[in-house]
Amino acid sequence: MKKYFINSTRAVVFLTIALLFSGCLKDTIKHTYTYSWYEPLYKTKAEVFADITKSNSPKEIENPGKIFINGKYIFLNEIGKGIHVLDNSDPSSPKNVAFINIAGNVDMAVKGNILYADIYSDLVTLDITDPLHVSNTKIVEDAFSGNSYYSYGYGTDSGKIIYDWKRHDTTIISDQQPSPQGWPGGIVYYAYASSSQANAISAPTGIAGSMSRFAVVNDYLYTAGYSDLNVFNISTPQNPTFDDKVSIGSWNIETIFPFKNKLFIGSQNGMYVYNINNPGQPAFDGKFGHVQSCDPVVADDQYAYVTLRSGTKCQGFTNQLDILALNDLTNPSLLKTYNLTNPHGLSKDGDILFICDGSDGLKVYNAADANNLKMIKHFSNLETYDVIAYNNIALVVAKDGLYQYDYSNINDIRLLSKLNISK
């Protein structure tokens, strides 16, 4: 079981052969390719579960994903491998202090001193009273059973779990012309792994980024599957119990944003609004449909802010911000569209709107008038993924680092720190 990626075509060698009897030349073209394939490394479930609670020294950040703030700590996902624990007591000098090994991890949420995280299709519950020495309180096996988003990683090797990948580099020479995908013959092999691996509360819940698929509201944890919403009762935080699975009636659900008694759910074909008046049984309120694209969402009392983007995973060709009026939740209506480059996560604090516009950097707007957003600042020298704006600090996950900006003076937003990502 191997996973292949083309790095680049290193060279094209032309061999010219003189044909003595024909008096003409014939060119034979040789194509040299360098590619990488990744070998899955396995452990038993027992070994993987035991690794979680070992006291682990900090690791370099290499492939960051989702982000969560809880008190003075930042929890930063290392895609498919676990969670970095960063001490952010001083935002001008954050410290990478620990790493929690969680194979297959993509998402997380916190209630009080309890952290919930996915380990492929299982849900792990960790006591983070001391984030440097976590303890495992419960693992709910097959918590996301049937949800293809979470089920990858359980390979065919005697029921073991993929905990890492070993890279192998290989060079081949072929007489064939490159296919449009850059492969001789156009054949590409992929491992059985997820795409993310290949490339107001009774207890404090912290703050998640807009790309999160987990949301905690009071005594309930909501997690997004491929086409449904899983509901867990966490009234006893260290002992979550599965309550219900709600079909959203959509495919490719991507994000959940909780606001008051509502869940705003982003999918590749629309934004869905569910009320949690009965928190154990979320009920459909309304939907705003759009062309196929990725669409994280944040909301306030009046509007929902939805970024739509194109790309290999998201398909489509749309890159924009849609602002939706929420005066009728059964039928959210489009108020205004703003063109963007390739928007990802976003965050709103009061009238200030932060948008991660992919390769076009971080954009900060005055959103006091939704019909007339005014750009305050454009940081164009970074490629951004997600942002959390809270208490005058904007925490930005970018391709080359974790940035923190002080926006206490909105006319003089300044960089406080950058925690570099190892490449």
Side-chain angles (χ1 to χ4, degrees), residues 196-219:
S196 61
Q197 286 177 302
N199 332 228
I201 308 302
S202 58
T205 60
I207 303 171
S210 63
M211 307 294 277
S212 181
R213 301 173 67 92
F214 280 24
V216 170
V217 183
N218 295 316
D219 289 335

Side-chain angles (χ1 to χ4, degrees), residues 97-311:
V97 294
F99 185 78
I100 306 171
N101 283 310
I102 307 177
N105 175 250
V106 177
D107 274 282
M108 63 195 139
V110 174
K111 177 180 180 179
N113 292 322
I114 300 297
L115 181 146
Y116 306 96
D118 60 308
I119 176 169
Y120 293 118
S121 60
D122 299 336
L123 175 68
V124 62
T125 306
L126 300 175
D127 187 325
I128 55 169
T129 302
D130 178 3
L132 307 187
H133 302 89
V134 302
S135 60
N136 180 15
T137 65
K138 184 176 182 178
I139 292 176
V140 182
E141 296 194 40
D142 297 321
F144 314 117
S145 179
N147 291 340
S148 59
Y149 184 88
Y150 294 105
S151 61
Y152 300 116
Y154 291 87
T156 58
D157 190 350
S158 303
K160 294 183 179 180
I161 299 175
I162 299 171
Y163 74 92
D164 207 347
W165 300 87
K166 182 178 180 181
R167 175 172 170 160
H168 300 268
D169 293 324
T170 305
T171 299
I172 62 173
I173 298 175
S174 172
D175 291 334
Q176 299 181 43
Q177 291 289 342
S179 72
Q181 293 79 24
W183 277 91
I187 300 173
V188 182
Y189 299 89
Y190 292 98
Y192 189 57
S194 69
S195 59
S196 61
Q197 286 177 302
N199 332 228
I201 308 302
S202 58
T205 60
I207 303 171
S210 63
M211 307 294 277
S212 181
R213 301 173 67 92
F214 280 24
V216 170
V217 183
N218 295 316
D219 289 335
Y220 286 85
L221 167 68
Y222 304 94
T223 71
Y226 184 76
S227 61
D228 46 39
L229 191 66
N230 298 288
V231 183
F232 296 89
N233 187 314
I234 54 172
S235 54
T236 304
Q238 67 273 20
N239 185 32
T241 58
F242 179 78
D243 256 21
D244 199 6
K245 178 180 290 188
V246 179
S247 176
I248 300 300
S250 175
W251 41 269
N252 282 341
I253 296 174
E254 297 179 321
T255 61
I256 306 175
F257 182 81
F259 183 74
K260 295 185 176 179
N261 68 330
K262 306 292 181 185
L263 298 176
F264 293 85
I265 300 170
S267 80
Q268 287 189 21
N269 68 349
M271 181 202 74
Y272 294 76
V273 183
Y274 275 71
N275 76 68
I276 46 175
N277 298 327
N278 179 353
Q281 296 179 321
F284 176 77
D285 271 351
K287 172 192 173 182
F288 175 79
H290 57 64
V291 297
Q292 184 169 342
S293 57
C294 293
D295 73 335
V297 55
V298 299
D300 57 27
D301 286 310
Q302 292 182 289
Y303 305 109
Y305 302 80
V306 184
T307 58
L308 308 181
R309 74 178 185 277
S310 61

